Amino acid sequence: MLNVHLSLKLLFAVTEAPQNWSDHALWWEQKNCWLLKNHWTLDKYGVQADADLRFTPQHKPLCLQLPNMKTIKLTITFSSVVFKAVEEICKALNIRRSEELSLLRPPDDPKKKKKKDKGKGQAEDDIIDMDTISGVAGNSLYSKTMTATYDPENGTPASATSLWFGDNPLTASQPNIPAEELAKMYLPLSMEDKAVINAGWLDSSRSLMEQGVQENDKLLLRFKYHCFFDLNPKYDAVRITQLYEQARWAILLEEIECTEEEMLMFASLQYHICKLTMSTKPVDLSDEPEIDEVEAALSHLETTLEGRSTDRILVCISTQPYLFVPSVLCRPKRLLRTFKEYWFVFRDTSISYYKNKESANGEPIEQLHLRGCEVVPDVNVTEKKFGIKLLLPVADGMNEVYIRCDHETQYAKWKAACILASKGKTMAYSSYNTEVKNIQSFLQMKSLAPPPGQAAPDVESMEMNAECFVSPRYAKRYKNKQLSTRILEAHHNISQLTLMEAKLRFIQAWQSLPEFGIKYYIVRFKGCKKDEILGISYNRLIRIDMSTRLPLTTWRFSNMKQWNVNWEIRQVTIEFDQNVSVAFSCQSCDCRVVHEYIGGYIFLSTRSKDQNETLDEELFRKLTGGQE
């Protein structure tokens, strides 16, 4: 009985043409699997005399649309699982933290099928062949001497990206397309539409061929898990640029909702980035501030020691914001909101509120414990509205509390305190003042009024079409000159930012949006007769009513005890603290997709800066793969 290895040697012997067959392997079409275990016999695989086996290369060209909407052709392995294939792609493109990305099938658009056939030749001309650029198929974008080497101790690259990226086209932001082309791409998406698109993520534990992907097929490379770890301008020029591009397109195509004020803020940042990118002076990434590893380690040690010794100190903020809702704790269904004034005291990780200042020495009306809560901004700088929505964890989900502050400074202090408290940290923690400053800086960026003493913007100086910086729906509300004026007014507040700082600010603003990172799926909960929407974020699950689009319940991953899948009936069951259990079946996708999302976020939560760049692939497979 011959094993696979000997069978292949016989196959090479009868082949007259001299060729390197080392990359070839057997693919079993009927069983949809690779025969990669060379020590196994064909009989052990179950191969019979009538089996149709294909002797084919394991590395094949694949077309990938990057987050910046540019399409590249890259030769990657079709026999490895998608998790390894994405790692290979990211290594070729010099993108760190490959575990945050994955491959997505392009959504089907029947209206465009005829157009695609007509413009096929033109589309192929727009594809960048990375194998031609690198010179050798399968190698990284640049020569080995320009590939980053990583420190084995802390996992960071041994040199800055500016030294080994060279003139990397992936670090340059793409110019905004004309408003007419943007309008053709724009398509309003409902939650159901988004659920259909999100069903297209490939299974990370199976190979490309096993999922029906063929040579030269087109897939989308996207940041799947919105949990961006250790973003560093010194090492992550490509990663930051591609993140910015994915965020930019999400804003322009309204894949995520934002207010008019936020849209203009994003427009001003895009204008600033476009302006810097198109400037004649080349962008030198080495101008970014150098980070001394020793200083960073000492600072981290100082922060750790300060946190341990001073967290016991009780620091109190007493002020008079307003609580939104008379009964204090409210369900998301109850939309009747009235403001009532109380006296608040923020101490440690909880908020106590009293009837008035005089009664603050007695028992509070109620104490709100913020550990594990969700902090959602409710801000409109133009209208002087500074609100904070707190989602407090309870046994059967989350309760909502609204707090309204009087001005920016008060809001920044309270929000910073709430964010730290949600992580179990007090205001004595060393990062509190930094958090306050970051929030104040973000509010200033959202302000559309020019700084005091500064002249009104000159609309004629704006060389670009303002309509290409906002979504088509917002572009219809204003004339081009009005839109230019408002963008230039907002631009005054960020005009001093460097190119990399502006991209990071854009990403941070994207992350602050209420819907950031939420992926929607249509599910049916056990015991219910109608479909509902399940939202999956980096730290929680959200049950949403399909008819009203309002959240019904929220469960946090931090309260999750375990989850499992019944592969026979395709049902996901999740158990939380306090004996809370939920079960549902997926209607818009295979339950593997939801299972992998939950397991993926749990996996990402285990990352630490003390770890090196090597990923625990076995742990990822245990959390996301499952058994059928």
Side-chain angles (χ1 to χ4, degrees):
M1 184 70 70
L2 298 178
N3 60 24
V4 174
H5 181 67
L6 291 175
S7 301
L8 293 178
K9 290 186 72 175
L10 287 174
L11 183 62
F12 300 152
V14 299
T15 306
E16 296 181 0
Q19 187 173 342
N20 183 2
W21 303 99
S22 60
D23 186 49
H24 283 59
L26 291 175
W27 168 255
W28 193 355
E29 191 76 40
Q30 292 92 333
K31 295 291 185 179
N32 195 43
C33 68
W34 289 92
L35 307 186
L36 299 176
K37 296 180 180 178
N38 292 335
H39 60 284
W40 278 26
T41 64
L42 295 176
D43 183 59
K44 189 173 182 179
Y45 268 115
V47 177
Q48 302 297 322
D50 60 344
D52 183 14
L53 301 181
R54 287 172 53 196
F55 189 55
T56 180
Q58 297 179 63
H59 285 80
K60 302 172 185 289
L62 183 69
C63 293
L64 295 169
Q65 188 193 74
L66 302 181
N68 63 359
M69 296 296 186
K70 289 293 182 182
T71 302
I72 63 170
K73 182 183 284 188
L74 186 66
T75 299
I76 64 171
T77 176
F78 272 57
S79 59
S80 295
V81 296
V82 168
F83 183 81
K84 294 294 291 183
V86 172
E87 188 177 8
E88 183 183 346
I89 293 168
C90 290
K91 186 177 180 181
L93 303 180
N94 288 323
I95 298 177
R96 287 202 309 154
R97 306 294 178 185
S98 62
E99 66 273 17
E100 297 172 356
L101 296 93
S102 192
L103 298 175
L104 179 68
R105 296 182 190 275
D108 293 328
D109 190 350
K111 296 179 181 178
K112 295 183 179 180
K113 283 186 178 179
K114 295 181 180 179
K115 295 180 182 178
K116 282 184 180 178
D117 295 335
K118 292 180 181 178
K120 192 173 181 181
Q122 183 182 359
E124 288 181 354
D125 294 338
D126 296 335
I127 297 176
I128 304 171
D129 193 334
M130 303 301 287
D131 297 328
T132 304
I133 295 176
S134 62
V136 181
N139 281 0
S140 61
L141 183 58
Y142 303 103
S143 65
K144 291 182 179 179
T145 57
M146 299 183 74
T147 303
T149 55
Y150 293 95
D151 189 313
E153 295 296 327
N154 57 24
T156 57
S159 58
T161 52
S162 57
L163 301 180
W164 47 272
F165 274 164
D167 296 326
N168 190 338
L170 303 181
T171 61
S173 302
Q174 297 299 314
N176 285 48
I177 63 173
E180 297 77 19
E181 292 185 31
L182 184 61
K184 294 177 183 177
M185 297 175 63
Y186 174 72
L187 182 66
L189 297 175
S190 65
M191 285 186 180
E192 291 85 349
D193 296 329
K194 293 176 183 178
V196 173
I197 294 173
N198 293 330
W201 290 106
L202 295 189
D203 186 345
S204 295
S205 61
R206 299 168 64 203
S207 70
L208 291 170
M209 288 274 280
E210 288 172 332
Q211 300 181 69
V213 179
Q214 300 298 321
E215 183 177 338
N216 289 318
D217 279 358
K218 184 177 180 180
L219 295 174
L220 313 182
L221 179 68
R222 295 290 185 268
F223 288 88
K224 176 180 180 180
Y225 299 103
H226 289 57
C227 187
F228 315 126
F229 184 71
D230 190 25
L231 275 179
N232 192 324
K234 187 178 179 182
Y235 308 129
D236 291 319
V238 176
R239 183 176 168 215
I240 289 172
T241 298
Q242 295 302 318
L243 256 178
Y244 159 72
E245 290 290 342
Q246 183 165 327
R248 181 171 73 91
W249 282 106
I251 297 296
L252 289 176
L253 299 179
E254 291 194 38
E255 294 173 4
I256 183 172
E257 291 186 7
C258 64
T259 64
E260 183 176 321
E261 183 180 73
E262 290 163 341
M263 181 65 75
L264 291 171
M265 174 194 65
F266 286 121
S268 66
L269 283 167
Q270 289 179 72
Y271 169 66
H272 185 65
I273 291 168
C274 266
K275 196 174 180 181
L276 292 179
T277 303
M278 295 171 63
S279 63
T280 53
K281 180 183 177 181
V283 178
D284 185 4
L285 293 174
S286 62
D287 289 342
E288 297 294 332
E290 291 290 324
I291 301 174
D292 186 86
E293 279 74 14
V294 177
E295 289 294 330
L298 289 174
S299 176
H300 175 68
L301 178 62
E302 181 183 358
T303 299
T304 305
L305 293 174
E306 285 182 358
R308 286 175 182 169
S309 61
T310 60
D311 264 358
R312 298 187 187 130
I313 301 174
L314 302 180
V315 180
C316 171
I317 295 180
S318 295
T319 183
Q320 285 186 345
Y322 295 86
L323 189 63
F324 203 19
V325 135
S327 59
V328 182
L329 296 178
C330 71
R331 302 290 180 186
K333 284 183 179 179
R334 300 177 186 175
L335 300 178
L336 184 61
R337 299 170 180 174
T338 57
F339 287 103
K340 192 171 182 180
E341 184 175 337
Y342 292 99
W343 180 262
F344 285 83
V345 177
F346 201 132
R347 183 178 286 115
D348 285 346
T349 59
S350 63
I351 297 176
S352 301
Y353 65 94
Y354 306 84
K355 186 176 180 180
N356 50 47
K357 184 177 180 179
E358 289 70 28
S359 61
N361 293 327
E363 287 294 320
I365 297 174
E366 188 168 358
Q367 191 174 42
L368 307 175
H369 298 282
L370 305 189
R371 184 187 290 267
C373 79
E374 183 86 15
V375 183
V376 181
D378 184 19
V379 176
N380 189 311
V381 178
T382 307
E383 298 178 2
K384 303 296 181 183
K385 176 186 176 183
F386 304 102
I388 303 171
K389 181 170 73 171
L390 301 175
L391 300 174
L392 304 172
V394 292
D396 59 343
M398 307 285 274
N399 279 332
E400 291 186 5
V401 175
Y402 296 81
I403 297 177
R404 191 174 67 186
C405 300
D406 294 331
H407 46 77
E408 291 185 20
T409 304
Q410 187 185 87
Y411 168 81
K413 290 180 178 179
W414 274 81
K415 187 184 176 186
C418 290
I419 291 173
L420 289 177
S422 69
K423 301 174 183 177
K425 299 173 182 177
T426 71
M427 287 172 283
Y429 197 72
S430 57
S431 63
Y432 173 70
N433 290 329
T434 304
E435 190 72 44
V436 172
K437 290 178 182 177
N438 288 339
I439 294 170
Q440 289 176 325
S441 175
F442 182 65
L443 290 175
Q444 184 182 3
M445 190 170 63
K446 291 182 72 173
S447 175
L448 301 180
Q454 194 158 355
D458 181 12
V459 179
E460 302 300 328
S461 65
M462 190 172 184
E463 300 172 356
M464 288 163 267
N465 185 1
E467 293 180 348
C468 67
F469 298 115
V470 297
S471 71
R473 186 164 63 92
Y474 282 95
K476 292 178 181 178
R477 297 183 181 182
Y478 300 96
K479 294 181 179 178
N480 191 50
K481 191 171 183 180
Q482 293 174 320
L483 199 56
S484 300
T485 303
R486 301 203 67 181
I487 291 175
L488 288 175
E489 286 175 350
H491 180 254
H492 278 302
N493 299 306
I494 50 101
S495 58
Q496 301 303 315
L497 296 178
T498 65
L499 181 61
M500 190 59 70
E501 286 173 344
K503 290 178 182 178
L504 285 171
R505 286 288 184 91
F506 195 100
I507 295 169
Q508 291 164 2
W510 176 46
Q511 290 175 295
S512 71
L513 296 177
E515 287 190 7
F516 168 75
I518 301 177
K519 302 298 181 183
Y520 299 103
Y521 294 96
I522 300 174
V523 301
R524 181 168 296 182
F525 284 88
K526 186 177 180 180
C528 296
K529 296 183 179 180
K530 62 178 183 177
D531 293 342
E532 296 177 77
I533 300 287
L534 179 71
I536 304 178
S537 182
Y538 71 96
N539 61 353
R540 68 193 189 279
L541 300 173
I542 311 166
R543 184 176 183 175
I544 303 171
D545 186 279
M546 187 175 282
S547 56
T548 64
R549 301 295 192 267
L550 295 175
L552 302 174
T553 314
T554 303
W555 303 283
R556 293 182 68 87
F557 289 153
S558 58
N559 297 329
M560 185 188 297
K561 294 171 65 176
Q562 66 173 11
W563 81 99
N564 58 73
V565 180
N566 185 328
W567 297 108
E568 293 183 2
I569 60 175
R570 321 299 286 183
Q571 179 175 277
V572 181
T573 304
I574 308 174
E575 294 182 17
F576 297 92
D577 292 339
Q578 301 181 10
N579 298 321
V580 176
S581 178
V582 295
F584 56 84
S585 59
C586 301
Q587 307 296 309
S588 62
C589 66
D590 190 277
C591 61
R592 273 186 174 276
V593 180
V594 172
H595 169 61
E596 183 172 316
Y597 245 120
I598 296 173
Y601 274 126
I602 299 298
F603 173 77
L604 295 185
S605 68
T606 65
R607 294 183 296 181
S608 168
K609 286 189 177 181
D610 298 332
Q611 298 173 338
N612 57 27
E613 295 284 322
T614 305
L615 291 171
D616 189 346
E617 186 180 347
E618 184 179 351
L619 177 61
F620 181 84
R621 288 193 184 185
K622 285 181 179 179
L623 291 172
T624 62
Q627 297 291 332
E628 291 201 41

